[in-house]
Amino acid sequence: MSKRIDVKDLNVYYGDFLAVEDVSINIEAKSVTAFIGPSGCGKSTFLRTLNRMHEVLPGARVEGEVLLDGDNLYGPGVDPVSVRAQIGMVFQRPNPFPTMSIRDNVLAGVKLNNKKISKGEADVLVERSLKGANLWNEVKDRLEKPGSGLSGGQQQRLCIARAIAVEPQVILMDEPCSALDPISTLAIEDLINELKDQYTVVIVTHNMQQAARVSDKTAFFNIAGTGKPGKLIEYGNTQNIFSNPTVKATEDYVSGRFG
Amino acid sequence: MSSTLTPVRSKRSALTKGQLPPFAPYVVLALALIIGAAILALIGFNAFGWGIVSAILFAAGLVGWSGVVEGSRKAKDKLATCLVVGSFLIALLPLISVIWTVLVNGIPGLISPGFLTSSMNGVTGVYDNKAVEEGAPVIGGIYHALIGTIQITLVATVISVPVGLLTAIYLVEYGNDGRLARAITFFVDVMTGIPSIVAGLFAAAFFFAVVGPGTKTGAVAAVALAVLMIPVVVRSSEEMLKIVPNELREAAYALGVRKWRTILKVVIPTAISGIASGVTLAIARVIGETAPILVTAGFATSINSNVFGGWMASLPTFIYTQILNPTSPANPDPSSQRAWGAALVLIILVMVLNLGARLIAKAFAPKTGR
């Protein structure tokens, strides 16, 4: 239940503005890949192109190919909605649906699409997803309470449960811990380690220690200056990127000399 | 001996000195009222002047005292407080005055027997003359006008809410601020400013052309009211949809939910409480319209519960005709009593609508409990 992603010569635009230039990267199935780099270097923008969330913004478009196990996401006739059903996403700020209970939030992917599901199946799915997100023990007695009543870290794990409930192939995480305290962050990092047994995980993070802790491979993005496009500078095993980078800019960034 | 050298101060802390005592405003208010009454007594007493003079004296006294004791910053603060509270009272004055007048004049009409359950059918000046000259009860009621108002407003709501809500959805979710969206926004703004009589004339002319000359029914009036309601519904729904966080839309998209389902099941439920109160305000705005109903639904004295055929009465037109053409020109008092009663019922209707909107808003509002 996980697929690899291969990106070939991808250019990402906002209108006429080239935001990310010429990225080629191979993301292995059942692994954790981290994107690091200074603010505004386009790593979040690039992440959003991997499940066609980028084009939700008006004027945004891409050129190039993103292959999910060989199938081009941007091929003619590809329905972005079916792409997003296979490639889930967790956002920077926890965003549970405020009108729904915890249980309904987990079932949102099913219910919003009007799929028929029996109560028994729904119960199983809710329990499995919440257990998968390490949240079951904390919320099992209050599944009917609103999701917005949880703490920030719990809300974020609820969002992860919501994402894995639709059984995607890939989970994209856009700085999932940046709004959380250290203990919630630790819970999510543990969870990422477990998720990679089943899913391909791609995570954008500002926190280099986090990238070093959770990821198998790391991609370093950088930007030459304001208004210039972001580029993929170096991509390799996380250990190599942090201990033995081949590019000077990577070494400067991971050793804290800029960014 | 050293302890006696320290001057004996009051018990107040050094940090709180230079402050007016807590009872200061009440003292100043009492003085202002007394001095105001004295001044007014010299030039002829009236309650309104007493209020104005006392308010000015109170503000001047409190600000002056504060300036002496507390310094200029606190004095300015007191002045701003006086201005704010004063503006609030001035704004409240007409409202209270209206409610008071309508209550005093309307209750006799409202409690007269059969007021809510009978129409004006067959009620002639003879009965009104009797009521005034022989003390017989005032007969005749507003039942026909009440059902007219409720039906016309209901039909207008049924027309304008789907149109307005769908327009708002287009503007927020699909318009992308393009040329069509900007044109719609412009014309909605223009529609907001249409005088209500023009909307009535439009609906009348439209039905004259489509159905035939002289078409005056409740439905025509409903169309006229819908023309007035639509821009209000569009505007309020648009604002409510705009404040739904984009993150919720993206969360739904990322789950593989289609855009129309996202709008239907995430965006609208999140905004529904605001939309509901916007619709209620729009209804409250048109329920008291008189002119467009006179030219579109005419006026009736008997019960007509068919919106699509025949002239229909409504509360505003009932009030208008009772005041302008009393049933008994010689004794207009019973007519005026009925008009005030109808006005009270109209105000109660609007209040009930507003309360209903609050209940709806509360029932639908996103839950935050733990």
Side-chain angles (χ1 to χ4, degrees):
Chain A
M1 216 174 57
S2 73
K3 290 183 175 175
R4 58 180 288 117
I5 293 180
D6 298 283
V7 181
K8 286 183 189 163
D9 307 325
L10 196 76
N11 291 311
V12 190
Y13 296 86
Y14 287 106
D16 292 332
F17 173 69
L18 178 60
V20 180
E21 187 179 17
D22 203 21
V23 175
S24 296
I25 191 170
N26 305 312
I27 296 167
E28 301 290 335
K30 293 193 179 181
S31 70
V32 178
T33 305
F35 293 171
I36 59 170
S39 292
C41 69
K43 51 194 189 304
S44 287
T45 302
F46 176 66
L47 186 80
R48 289 168 64 92
T49 65
L50 298 184
N51 69 342
R52 297 194 64 165
M53 283 296 287
H54 175 62
E55 66 204 44
V56 170
L57 305 168
R61 64 197 170 86
V62 302
E63 289 169 1
E65 289 188 338
V66 179
L67 306 175
L68 180 69
D69 264 9
D71 300 324
N72 186 5
L73 302 186
Y74 289 94
V78 173
D79 182 358
V81 173
S82 61
V83 167
R84 291 179 203 135
Q86 290 195 52
I87 307 180
M89 190 161 196
V90 176
F91 296 85
Q92 187 168 355
R93 293 228 324 252
N95 53 1
F97 296 119
T99 51
M100 298 184 193
S101 66
I102 293 173
R103 179 188 153 89
D104 286 345
N105 260 290
V106 178
L107 294 173
V110 178
K111 285 202 167 168
L112 292 181
N113 278 322
N114 256 13
K115 285 188 197 137
K116 293 277 173 290
I117 185 166
S118 73
K119 186 166 181 308
E121 284 175 318
D123 289 341
V124 171
L125 180 62
V126 168
E127 182 169 350
R128 190 176 65 220
S129 306
L130 286 172
K131 277 183 173 160
N134 283 342
L135 191 61
W136 175 249
N137 286 330
E138 291 158 65
V139 300
K140 64 184 174 199
D141 299 323
R142 45 174 173 158
L143 290 176
E144 298 305 325
K145 295 279 170 64
S148 41
L150 298 173
S151 76
Q154 288 172 329
Q155 286 188 20
Q156 191 64 299
R157 277 179 283 151
L158 179 61
C159 292
I160 294 175
R162 184 174 69 185
I164 58 184
V166 296
E167 292 170 359
Q169 310 288 341
V170 181
I171 298 177
L172 308 177
M173 297 189 177
D174 188 357
E175 299 179 37
C177 304
S178 64
L180 305 182
D181 65 283
I183 294 184
S184 307
T185 302
L186 201 63
I188 304 248
E189 286 179 5
D190 288 345
L191 176 58
I192 291 171
N193 258 323
E194 290 167 25
L195 288 176
K196 77 172 178 181
D197 296 339
Q198 288 189 55
Y199 306 95
T200 308
V201 179
V202 184
I203 176 171
V204 165
T205 177
H206 270 294
N207 182 331
M208 280 180 280
Q209 288 76 26
Q210 183 173 67
R213 281 194 298 266
V214 302
S215 68
D216 304 306
K217 287 196 155 190
T218 298
F220 172 61
F221 287 77
N222 201 1
I223 188 168
T226 321
K228 301 260 175 57
K231 284 185 178 176
L232 175 63
I233 304 297
E234 192 171 354
Y235 176 51
N237 288 327
T238 298
Q239 218 168 5
N240 287 348
I241 293 285
F242 281 94
S243 57
N244 195 14
T246 53
V247 183
K248 180 79 168 56
T250 315
E251 190 183 343
D252 288 350
Y253 184 73
V254 298
S255 58
R257 243 163 272 165
F258 82 100
Chain B
M1 286 300 283
S2 64
S3 63
T4 51
L5 291 176
T6 28
V8 178
R9 290 250 190 91
S10 67
K11 289 251 173 81
R12 291 173 68 186
S13 142
L15 291 174
T16 59
K17 71 177 175 185
Q19 280 186 3
L20 288 185
F23 53 81
Y26 306 106
V27 173
V28 179
L29 180 63
L31 285 174
L33 286 173
I34 294 166
I35 299 172
I39 294 175
L40 261 289
L42 293 177
I43 56 172
F45 187 84
N46 70 71
F48 184 71
W50 186 35
I52 296 284
V53 172
S54 305
I56 294 170
L57 285 175
F58 173 76
L62 190 64
V63 170
W65 190 10
S66 171
V68 173
V69 178
E70 298 182 317
S72 73
R73 191 182 68 83
K74 286 275 189 180
K76 282 178 200 154
D77 177 52
K78 293 266 189 312
L79 179 65
T81 309
C82 287
L83 288 176
V84 170
V85 173
S87 317
F88 168 70
L89 290 178
I90 290 172
L92 210 60
L93 211 58
L95 181 69
I96 291 175
S97 164
V98 164
I99 291 178
W100 179 251
T101 317
V102 175
L103 274 178
V104 166
N105 293 309
I107 284 177
L110 190 61
I111 57 174
S112 68
F115 187 68
L116 291 174
T117 50
S118 62
S119 72
M120 291 297 288
N121 198 11
V123 178
T124 59
V126 178
Y127 295 101
D128 279 3
N129 291 341
K130 254 189 203 160
V132 173
E133 287 153 12
E134 302 169 16
V138 176
I139 62 163
I142 58 160
Y143 181 68
H144 59 309
L146 194 59
I147 58 167
T149 283
I150 290 174
Q151 286 191 347
I152 290 172
T153 316
L154 201 66
V155 175
T157 310
V158 168
I159 299 172
S160 56
V161 167
V163 174
L165 186 55
L166 289 173
T167 307
I169 288 173
Y170 173 79
L171 289 176
V172 176
E173 305 288 338
Y174 294 96
N176 281 336
D177 217 13
R179 202 168 291 175
L180 180 59
R182 270 179 290 160
I184 291 174
T185 308
F186 175 73
F187 284 114
V188 166
D189 285 348
V190 173
M191 268 175 87
T192 316
I194 287 182
S196 57
I197 182 73
V198 176
L201 289 174
F202 155 76
F206 179 74
F207 275 82
F208 286 7
V210 175
V211 182
T215 310
K216 279 192 174 182
T217 67
V220 186
V223 169
L225 294 189
V227 170
L228 294 170
M229 270 180 82
I230 286 172
V232 185
V233 175
V234 172
R235 268 303 183 193
S236 59
S237 311
E238 190 189 353
E239 293 307 319
M240 289 303 134
L241 293 175
K242 267 186 191 160
I243 58 172
V244 173
N246 227 0
E247 296 160 2
L248 294 182
R249 296 186 181 90
E250 293 201 332
Y253 295 155
L255 292 170
V257 180
R258 294 201 180 276
K259 185 166 185 173
W260 71 271
R261 280 192 186 284
T262 303
I263 294 169
L264 202 63
K265 299 207 165 173
V266 174
V267 178
I268 291 182
T270 309
I272 191 74
S273 65
I275 293 173
S277 45
V279 168
T280 320
L281 288 180
I283 294 174
R285 160 152 162 43
V286 299
I287 203 168
E289 285 293 351
T290 318
I293 294 181
L294 272 182
V295 298
T296 49
F299 180 73
T301 52
S302 55
I303 297 166
N304 171 18
S305 49
N306 180 6
V307 202
F308 299 101
W311 290 23
M312 220 170 183
S314 69
L315 287 173
T317 52
F318 177 84
I319 298 168
Y320 173 80
T321 46
Q322 285 290 308
I323 294 288
L324 207 65
N325 306 307
T327 313
S328 160
N331 290 307
D333 284 352
S335 282
S336 130
Q337 178 187 326
R338 282 190 288 262
W340 281 108
L344 181 58
V345 170
L346 195 55
I347 287 186
I348 292 173
L349 266 185
V350 173
M351 276 188 172
V352 167
L353 273 175
N354 273 309
L355 287 177
R358 276 165 185 257
L359 287 180
I360 292 171
K362 213 169 197 175
F364 283 117
K367 287 133 194 91
T368 48
R370 273 162 202 274

